[in-house]
Amino acid sequence: MKRLFLYLPILFAHTLFAQSKLPVIRATAKSVSVKDGEFLNKNSWTLTPSARPDVFTADRTREAKYVTFYTDIDSIRVQVKPGTRYNFVILLNGKDSCFTQVASAIPPEDKFKNVAATHDTIPFTLTTHDAIAVKAVINNTDTLMLHLDLSSFDVHLTRDAILKKTHLLVTQPDAIAGKVTPNFNKMAKVTRLQMGQVVFTDPPVSTTGSTAHEMDGRFAWNLFEGKTIELDYDKSLIIIHNNLAKIPKGYQRSKLIFNRSNALVRGSFKIDGKVYTGNFSMDTGSETAMIVDSGWVGKQHLPVDRLKLIKSMTFSDPQNRTFQSNVVLTPSYTINNFPLGNVPALILSSKINPAGYELNFLGNDLLKRFNMLLDLKNDFIYLKPNHLIDVKYKQSS
């Protein structure tokens, strides 16, 4: 998954070439496998000689780790720490120099030193499908509706919205007219993205085939790295704090956990007096309350067969194979010391794994009940119940 193109200053391209004796490895094929920490992604990286540099942003962590690039004939292993960058060259077929950089997802500490305290606001609307909808203007001309998705990364625009609502394909008139298939790899660059008072220059943008209901795309937490995101459902505001000296009363704190750049929070079920604790990704783009991975259920021995069955759901995969998942009613679920009763949970079939690895999700039918502070400088999450805390869950019956 090449969410591997985080934006870095253009200045680096000049400093890279000024360096001498960069490490060089060889390749005869464009596909490269990358091991990021303990996770190996086979043939996930494509060599691009024209990119100077081509930046691989390692999964976010505050711990030191190794990232290894495996070409078809060679390899290189580099250590990644917060704020670091490592440069090397992959020589393709003995002639094309692919300048490559492995970068930490966390910027250098000096980027955040002596930053004035500002509090920029982004108004939002909570849709009937529980999407946190924000009006966004790209390149000063095109208005789209994007939603905040805390389980995503970077900015993603739907191909349909790009074609019908933007000028990003202005150099492809036949595609706009419907005569040929658009080439989204050659669309114009998004140089400016504005949401409320917040403006991003050259944000990392890619295409997607799906997003929340009625949305043109989504934006993620990593745009605000090093800051605090305040999500206030009572005032319908996203507030971005450069520095937040004092946490308001009523919030409960817990550690924010990151796994493969997914922002996770700890949560616990209590069933028949026994507690089952796990990590949950915050999928604010989903209108469900909770999705639980079958692998985690098996390891925890969660007694789902003793829970009330609300309904069964049948899914089909691309090979037209069908399988079933159940929505059950969990008697008690606690997050940040706040207990919630009778939370509906979709228990995934063992054949469904949207993340590709074991991962549970909290959807916005649950998360919308809490105002949130997401501290991306110190990695803490603060929650406080809001006016939606007692509304009925959509899948509760």
Side-chain angles (χ1 to χ4, degrees):
M1 183 167 59
K2 207 164 183 178
R3 66 182 184 209
L4 314 166
F5 286 104
L6 278 182
Y7 167 73
L8 288 171
I10 297 300
L11 176 63
F12 171 74
H14 301 288
T15 60
L16 174 62
F17 302 123
Q19 299 177 26
S20 60
K21 297 182 180 179
L22 289 178
V24 178
I25 63 171
R26 298 166 300 129
T28 62
K30 284 191 172 183
S31 294
V32 177
S33 297
V34 181
K35 186 178 183 182
D36 188 342
E38 298 301 317
F39 300 99
L40 176 64
N41 297 304
K42 293 184 178 181
N43 299 321
S44 59
W45 183 262
T46 302
L47 296 180
T48 309
S50 60
R52 293 176 175 255
D54 206 355
V55 181
F56 173 89
T57 302
D59 286 335
R60 188 187 188 278
T61 178
R62 295 194 181 277
E63 304 295 327
K65 65 174 179 179
Y66 287 96
V67 171
T68 306
F69 274 55
Y70 298 96
T71 72
D72 59 329
I73 58 174
D74 211 344
S75 67
I76 186 171
R77 187 175 80 151
V78 305
Q79 188 178 53
V80 178
K81 298 179 181 179
T84 62
R85 302 172 188 173
Y86 187 92
N87 310 311
F88 59 95
V89 175
I90 302 177
L91 187 62
L92 179 61
N93 292 321
K95 58 180 181 178
D96 293 324
S97 295
C98 303
F99 290 88
T100 307
Q101 181 187 90
V102 176
S104 165
I106 300 176
E109 288 187 8
D110 57 9
K111 179 178 178 179
F112 306 113
K113 289 182 178 178
N114 303 317
V115 176
T118 59
H119 313 281
D120 296 324
T121 58
I122 304 175
F124 74 85
T125 301
L126 187 65
T127 71
T128 57
H129 296 284
D130 287 332
I132 304 167
V134 170
K135 182 184 292 186
V137 180
I138 62 174
N139 296 347
N140 294 313
T141 58
D142 304 322
T143 300
L144 301 176
M145 292 303 295
L146 308 182
H147 71 93
L148 173 62
D149 189 351
L150 297 180
S151 68
S152 187
F153 209 75
D154 294 344
V155 179
H156 297 263
L157 304 179
T158 66
R159 289 182 279 274
D160 190 58
I162 292 170
L163 178 62
K164 298 178 181 178
K165 297 184 179 182
T166 77
H167 292 79
L168 297 177
L169 297 175
V170 67
T171 59
Q172 302 180 47
D174 287 343
I176 295 174
K179 297 178 181 179
V180 299
T181 301
N183 185 344
F184 293 100
N185 292 324
K186 294 185 178 181
M187 70 180 185
K189 183 178 177 60
V190 177
T191 58
R192 189 177 191 273
L193 170 66
Q194 180 168 0
M195 297 182 290
Q197 299 175 354
V198 183
V199 176
F200 301 93
T201 301
D202 296 328
V205 177
S206 57
T207 63
T208 183
S210 62
T211 189
H213 289 281
E214 301 171 353
M215 295 292 103
D216 299 314
R218 62 185 182 270
F219 63 102
W221 60 268
N222 68 299
L223 296 185
F224 311 102
E225 182 65 74
K227 302 179 181 181
T228 297
I229 306 172
E230 180 177 357
L231 188 53
D232 190 330
Y233 289 93
D234 295 319
K235 297 179 181 179
S236 297
L237 286 177
I238 302 169
I239 308 171
I240 309 303
H241 304 275
N242 279 349
N243 287 306
L244 188 61
K246 186 177 181 180
I247 303 299
K249 292 183 179 180
Y251 282 91
Q252 291 286 330
R253 186 183 81 168
S254 69
K255 190 65 179 175
L256 191 61
I257 305 162
F258 287 88
N259 180 17
R260 304 195 72 180
S261 292
N262 285 292
L264 309 175
V265 63
R266 297 284 280 176
S268 298
F269 296 104
K270 188 174 183 180
I271 303 172
D272 295 337
K274 187 174 180 179
V275 176
Y276 305 84
T277 301
N279 296 331
F280 292 78
S281 177
M282 295 174 288
D283 189 357
T284 49
S286 170
E287 62 181 317
T288 60
M290 181 184 299
I291 301 175
V292 183
D293 187 277
S294 62
W296 183 83
V297 168
K299 289 180 181 179
Q300 293 286 323
H301 303 290
L302 195 74
V304 293
D305 57 331
R306 298 209 300 269
L307 302 179
K308 179 182 177 181
L309 177 65
I310 297 175
K311 64 178 178 179
S312 295
M313 304 173 69
T314 301
F315 298 88
S316 297
D317 66 9
Q319 287 76 43
N320 289 320
R321 295 175 299 185
T322 60
F323 36 88
Q324 182 175 291
S325 291
N326 295 326
V327 179
V328 299
L329 200 62
T330 62
S332 177
Y333 178 80
T334 298
I335 179 174
N336 277 37
N337 295 319
F338 293 112
L340 298 168
N342 296 320
V343 180
L346 172 62
I347 310 297
L348 290 182
S349 162
S350 60
K351 297 180 181 180
I352 311 175
N353 194 330
Y357 54 95
E358 184 180 301
L359 191 61
N360 302 317
F361 293 87
L362 299 179
N364 218 35
D365 193 21
L366 185 150
L367 292 170
K368 71 182 180 184
R369 299 159 195 274
F370 298 95
N371 289 349
M372 178 187 301
L373 292 168
L374 208 64
D375 180 352
L376 296 173
K377 183 177 181 180
N378 303 297
D379 292 353
F380 287 107
I381 179 172
Y382 300 81
L383 297 180
K384 181 178 73 171
N386 59 36
H387 72 285
L388 300 172
I389 188 65
D390 292 322
V391 299
K392 184 179 180 180
Y393 291 98
K394 292 181 177 180
Q395 290 185 319
S396 60
S397 61

